[in-house]
Amino acid sequence: MDHQPKFFENLSGAGKAIAVLTSGGDAQGMNAAVRAVVRMGIYVNAKVYFIYEGYQGMVDGGDNIVEVSWESVSSILQVGGTVIGSARCKPFRTREGRLQAALNLVQRGITNLCVIGGDGSLTGANLFREEWSGLLEELAQKGKIDAEAVKKYAYLNIVGMVGSIDNDFCGTDMTIGTDSALHRIIEVVDAIMTTAQSHQRTFVLEVMGRHCGYLALVSALACGADWVFIPEYPPEEGWEDTMCVKLSENRARKKRLNIIIVAEGAIDCHNKPITSEKVKDLVVQRLGFDTRVTILGHVQRGGTPSAFDRILASRMGVEAVLALLEATPDTPACVVSLSGNQAVRLPLMECVQMTQAVQKAMDEGRFLEAVKLRGRSFENNLNTYKLLSHKKPDAELPKTNFNVAVLNVGAPAAGMNAAVRAAVRVGMTEGHKIFAVIDGFEGFARGKIKEISWGDVGGWTGQGGSILGTKRTLPAKYLEKIADQMRTNNINALMVIGGFEAYLGLLELSAAREKYDEFCVPMVMVPATVSNNVPGSDFSIGADTALNTITDTCDRIKQSASGTKRRVFIIETMGGYCGYLANMGALAAGADAAYIFEEQFDIRELQANVEHLTEKMKTSIQRGLVLRNENCNENYTTDFIYQLYSEEGKGVFDCRKNVLGHMQQGGAPSPFDRNFGTKISAKAMQWISKKLKETYRKGAGKVFANTDDSVCLLGMRRRNLVFQPVAELKSETDFVHRIPKEQWWLKLRPLMKILAKYKTSYDVSDSGQLEHVAMLPKEAETGAI
């Protein structure tokens, strides 16, 4: 819908007081949310208070409720847990406790609450809001406050953010902390895999999730586990036999290890618990395999938040303050949450009721309904896992006689191998023969092509780089040779996993259809590049891993400055002309500035940034961080910016520079990239099957596809995964600089500036509408994985 941009400058917080508290179990990223609430609140001239120790602090009052300043939240972005503490609170469950809490808030003029916690904490907040006017009247009757105060503070506004590693809250794709918990789990699984491989062991891993199997399911998907137990989808009767057969089949296929993942709340179809010990005993008794149990426990809550959680929490925090500023006595308490990659507001109680409905369905044995209530994203994860983990016997597989080739093109990106694995296994399940092309289009021309089987791609999800090998070469100069290879191997469809070169390659192949019939076959591209510069998709495989590398490095670099005199770091990131990594890295690392090609800057802006940092260094803050995209400006190089800052900052701060380089392309893929790669690639292969059926000509006995919609790019757009003909994407592309003409993340630029204390304008047209839970299109495939 087209409407005039709405800017929040007109929203003033003057005269308002906002308090922020964290409650319930802690989750990584809560601090990023607290920091965003405080800074955004101060930015709009509101008073902001910390409430220490959750609701307990609200009831106890005194030093537990303190006004805070900008510097209060400096350097907490990278810290796990919550710096303002969290506690379970019995008194707040009683009316007396809430009465005392109301008094403590009114004495400080606080009528806006931002609560970060799970569904219990948010339900408590909503009850408090409903009772508020009654509580004030009772306080007035007891003579603790005057009639004036009852009038002045008549309404309490509440906005919630969900901080929970279990991702057990309906209405939001990802809760704060989930992605970081997955990072912890995957780090452990990767480490365990090497030792299990050495000894031919079976490992049973128990992960958190008393009522929700999200962590277990997604980590099973991300590491290719042999079996997973989750509360929403109990195994069928006789699962013991099925599982043991599966494990021994895998061993027979020369797989040296087995991984079984158990959610702590796993149950069988009679609602009886399935424990990790029970699973271990079963494997030992039936199969005699050397089996070990590892319970991850509180490790999953710990550690530093991932880049995704920091950005999510920062966006939510800013959105929460906007929601409080716009709240009226009639708006219901809302939660700010994520759908796709968009921030949305939802009525708090609708979400809570839906979350409770899932539990009720599980208690009553309506498990299919429970899976559906969890949302499309959860359902897709489950279906993809079922598709990829169990190979059907050959006799049960359909035979289509179609041959599909899979290749990697462009620079390597973490997660490419997970995408290849999913393509191979889904393709085989659909009945096709899958051929792997080595070394991209160049290898294709040279005939480096071989059939690949189910077992060949085992263990690929966690491998970085590109196992098939990848090259940047475009197909134009090899067209004849590639056409020959497609004819020789009778290739009926192409799946290309890669970056901008893959996109250009598909454009070249479709242009060559007039001359070569061999290219008249369905072709699909899955975007995979650290630069995230492919038109038609908000995310590409590999960008999240690169972003985490940048964030981790910035954390270390910032730490290296602690204890030294005031210091500013200039850090250069990759991305070609696309500023995604620099901009999002700056948001995740809490940088002061990010120079990108998409937003031109001049010497005056550089000067203003230096002055801004000089001012900042006069406070208690000792460090500055500046990110620069490698191609943001040909004259203002990293060296130039370093020299300028060094000269201008003389006597106030000194400077260091760091070029991150190829470490951004390496490393094991993050959980997000493994899953995004797996799901998007599985969907692409299903599209190929559909197109093959549509374009097969019985009379000629061959596939013939020459329309634009048979060459597509599968991308993530706002809330949905969509297939778009590459021909239609041409108009959206800046071919000179190899970037899309419009990029969604530029809207987040002001966020980074606000959090770094710059005055800026922020378009809030997208936020502000309260949506309803049932209406949410749950294809919202991922901001979530």
Side-chain angles (χ1 to χ4, degrees):
M1 53 192 158
D2 280 342
H3 41 229
Q4 287 303 307
K6 175 176 86 172
F7 296 100
F8 76 83
E9 285 85 320
N10 345 352
L11 292 173
S12 164
K16 293 195 174 181
I18 298 172
V20 58
L21 72 138
T22 51
S23 171
D26 67 315
Q28 308 95 319
M30 279 183 165
N31 290 326
V34 168
R35 168 180 177 267
V37 169
V38 169
R39 293 198 164 171
M40 185 66 177
I42 291 171
Y43 185 90
V44 296
N45 298 317
K47 282 184 165 186
V48 187
Y49 290 82
F50 274 169
I51 299 179
Y52 287 101
E53 312 307 336
Y55 289 121
Q56 190 65 53
M58 202 196 289
V59 175
D60 295 346
D63 291 345
N64 289 305
I65 307 177
V66 237
E67 191 177 347
V68 289
S69 69
W70 191 271
E71 284 82 34
S72 308
V73 289
S74 181
S75 300
I76 66 168
L77 184 63
Q78 65 272 30
V79 180
T82 162
V83 294
I84 56 177
S86 174
R88 310 268 175 207
C89 176
K90 285 233 174 77
F92 192 75
R93 294 187 172 178
T94 65
R95 188 170 166 92
E96 286 68 47
R98 293 193 290 276
L99 197 64
Q100 186 56 44
L103 177 64
N104 291 331
L105 294 187
V106 168
Q107 284 169 343
R108 293 165 179 80
I110 300 169
T111 54
N112 294 283
L113 266 191
C114 182
V115 183
I116 308 165
D119 58 346
S121 313
L122 299 181
T123 312
N126 191 60
L127 175 65
F128 191 41
R129 177 179 185 267
E130 285 170 356
E131 289 183 352
W132 182 258
S133 52
L135 293 170
L136 293 202
E137 277 164 21
E138 192 174 325
L139 287 170
Q141 279 163 12
K142 292 185 173 172
K144 296 199 174 171
I145 57 173
D146 56 29
E148 183 59 30
V150 177
K151 249 196 177 120
K152 192 175 174 189
Y153 305 122
Y155 303 105
L156 178 68
N157 296 318
I158 282 184
V159 172
M161 280 184 265
V162 192
S164 154
I165 64 165
D166 293 340
N167 203 21
D168 55 358
F169 195 77
C170 291
T172 173
D173 280 355
M174 286 291 265
T175 57
I176 295 167
T178 306
D179 188 62
S180 303
L182 286 170
H183 273 260
R184 295 300 92 78
I185 295 170
I186 294 305
E187 282 158 18
V188 170
V189 175
D190 285 354
I192 276 176
M193 276 179 151
T194 53
T195 167
Q197 194 97 24
S198 311
H199 295 278
Q200 295 200 39
R201 280 190 175 138
T202 295
F203 269 87
V204 181
L205 271 103
E206 184 180 303
V207 300
M208 280 186 168
R210 256 187 322 230
H211 307 295
C212 178
Y214 185 89
L215 290 178
L217 178 56
V218 174
S219 48
L221 247 183
C223 70
D226 297 271
W227 201 272
V228 65
F229 293 97
I230 58 172
E232 293 88 344
Y233 187 75
E236 291 163 6
E237 288 280 10
W239 60 269
E240 295 89 346
D241 301 333
T242 324
M243 182 181 82
C244 291
V245 169
K246 165 97 197 308
L247 295 179
S248 45
E249 272 176 8
N250 280 351
R251 282 292 169 96
R253 284 199 204 109
K254 303 213 167 33
K255 189 176 176 186
R256 293 179 58 92
L257 76 158
N258 304 106
I259 301 276
I260 299 166
I261 295 184
V262 185
E264 61 179 332
I267 46 175
D268 64 17
C269 50
H270 304 297
N271 255 334
K272 298 247 177 342
I274 296 177
T275 63
S276 39
E277 280 300 330
K278 180 177 173 179
V279 176
K280 175 200 158 178
D281 295 343
L282 185 75
V283 176
V284 172
Q285 283 157 16
R286 298 263 184 112
L287 301 170
F289 290 172
D290 185 358
T291 307
R292 298 283 189 277
V293 172
T294 300
I295 296 174
L296 269 67
H298 281 74
V299 165
Q300 295 160 85
R301 285 191 190 279
T304 176
S306 65
F308 182 94
D309 272 332
R310 297 181 194 195
I311 293 165
L312 170 69
S314 300
R315 287 177 72 181
M316 302 288 106
V318 167
E319 184 70 23
V321 173
L322 292 177
L324 284 172
L325 292 184
E326 290 174 0
T328 67
D330 306 325
T331 40
C334 74
V335 277
V336 289
S337 89
L338 188 74
S339 176
N341 65 14
Q342 273 192 285
V344 293
R345 299 179 195 172
L346 301 165
L348 188 147
M349 285 321 286
E350 279 185 29
C351 297
V352 168
Q353 280 151 10
M354 192 151 159
T355 305
Q356 289 165 349
V358 179
Q359 190 54 49
K360 192 164 184 279
M362 278 156 49
D363 293 343
E364 293 170 7
R366 304 193 312 275
F367 295 108
L368 286 172
E369 196 180 324
V371 168
K372 282 215 170 352
L373 283 167
R374 279 265 180 248
R376 281 284 284 281
S377 185
F378 188 91
E379 212 177 339
N380 279 351
N381 281 325
L382 185 57
N383 292 337
T384 310
Y385 175 76
K386 289 195 288 200
L387 210 56
L388 297 175
S389 60
H390 304 295
K391 181 178 190 287
K392 287 183 181 159
D394 291 344
E396 285 180 32
L397 289 174
K399 282 277 177 288
T400 61
N401 296 323
F402 290 131
N403 296 345
V404 181
V406 178
L407 66 158
N408 291 161
V409 175
M416 274 183 164
N417 300 321
V420 172
R421 168 183 176 264
V424 169
R425 292 194 168 179
V426 173
M428 287 183 71
T429 308
E430 305 260 324
H432 315 314
K433 272 190 179 168
I434 308 294
F435 287 80
V437 178
I438 313 298
D439 294 341
F441 289 121
E442 197 176 307
F444 209 163
R446 295 196 175 134
K448 292 172 143 182
I449 179 167
K450 58 171 196 216
E451 192 179 340
I452 187 165
S453 71
W454 186 279
D456 294 341
V457 291
W460 278 29
T461 40
Q463 309 266 349
S466 161
I467 297 173
L468 292 183
T470 180
K471 287 258 194 304
R472 288 176 179 271
T473 326
L474 292 171
K477 56 178 178 180
Y478 298 116
L479 288 172
E480 190 138 338
K481 288 181 174 168
I482 294 175
D484 282 347
Q485 289 299 331
M486 287 188 64
R487 195 168 48 251
T488 312
N489 294 290
N490 189 22
I491 300 298
N492 308 111
L494 271 189
M495 177 157 164
V496 184
I497 300 163
F500 205 83
E501 286 85 2
Y503 167 64
L504 294 176
L506 280 194
L507 286 171
E508 289 179 4
L509 291 179
S510 60
R513 279 174 161 182
E514 289 171 18
K515 199 171 169 192
Y516 302 98
D517 271 3
E518 288 82 358
F519 300 138
C520 293
V521 296
M523 303 186 210
V524 68
M525 173 186 162
V526 168
T529 163
V530 297
S531 307
N532 198 22
N533 63 336
V534 177
S537 191
D538 293 352
F539 295 110
S540 58
I541 299 165
D544 183 69
T545 305
L547 202 50
N548 276 295
T549 305
I550 293 168
T551 309
D552 289 349
T553 313
C554 288
D555 286 353
R556 288 181 186 191
I557 286 172
K558 273 165 82 172
Q559 204 172 22
S560 76
S562 60
T564 57
K565 52 187 180 302
R566 300 186 165 92
R567 183 165 283 175
V568 173
F569 291 94
I570 318 287
I571 294 172
E572 181 185 305
T573 68
M574 277 184 159
Y577 284 95
C578 176
Y580 178 82
L581 290 178
N583 187 65
M584 301 306 256
L587 194 53
D592 296 281
Y595 299 118
I596 59 172
F597 169 76
E598 291 88 345
E599 196 173 281
Q600 292 297 304
F601 56 96
D602 56 19
I603 195 72
R604 284 182 293 279
E605 189 161 336
L606 288 170
Q607 180 63 33
N609 290 151
V610 174
E611 285 166 7
H612 186 86
L613 271 170
T614 314
E615 281 308 303
K616 179 178 157 178
M617 294 290 182
K618 288 177 184 165
T619 66
S620 58
I621 295 171
Q622 303 274 319
R623 299 185 294 266
L625 190 62
V626 174
L627 272 67
R628 177 189 175 275
N629 159 268
E630 56 185 355
N631 289 344
C632 65
N633 187 303
E634 58 182 325
N635 295 316
Y636 298 142
T637 60
T638 302
D639 282 336
F640 175 89
I641 290 175
Y642 164 68
Q643 285 160 351
L644 176 80
Y645 274 68
S646 298
E647 180 60 34
E648 295 294 320
K650 263 188 187 156
V652 183
F653 57 79
D654 66 354
C655 259
R656 293 286 183 275
K657 65 174 179 191
N658 203 316
V659 177
L660 298 185
H662 278 76
M663 61 190 284
Q664 294 162 84
Q665 278 182 5
S670 66
F672 183 98
D673 280 331
R674 296 181 193 199
N675 273 20
F676 186 51
T678 299
K679 278 163 60 169
I680 196 170
S681 167
K683 199 170 171 99
M685 187 54 83
Q686 287 164 334
W687 177 88
I688 283 181
S689 297
K690 185 170 123 268
K691 282 287 174 208
L692 284 169
K693 285 190 193 106
E694 286 171 14
T695 56
Y696 181 67
R697 301 193 170 175
K698 274 209 175 110
K702 67 170 192 173
V703 169
F704 187 79
N706 65 348
T707 53
D708 279 353
D709 69 350
S710 61
V711 187
C712 278
L713 179 147
L714 173 55
M716 163 81 191
R717 278 282 170 99
R718 289 172 82 112
R719 296 185 183 184
N720 299 305
L721 283 174
V722 273
F723 290 94
Q724 304 143 99
V726 288
E728 287 175 15
L729 292 172
K730 275 187 186 167
S731 60
E732 297 180 21
T733 311
D734 169 353
F735 285 99
V736 178
H737 300 105
R738 300 159 52 96
I739 52 175
K741 287 180 183 167
E742 287 196 6
Q743 305 190 73
W744 68 274
W745 50 266
L746 284 168
K747 280 197 166 169
L748 300 186
R749 266 211 52 94
L751 219 69
M752 184 205 83
K753 293 180 180 173
I754 288 167
L755 296 175
K757 217 173 185 174
Y758 286 91
K759 288 283 177 235
T760 183
S761 64
Y762 181 35
D763 177 1
V764 292
S765 327
D766 269 0
S767 59
Q769 290 81 26
L770 193 67
E771 302 191 11
H772 291 283
V773 181
M775 286 165 40
L776 273 183
K778 262 313 218 180
E779 174 68 74
E781 234 338 316
T782 171
I785 29 188

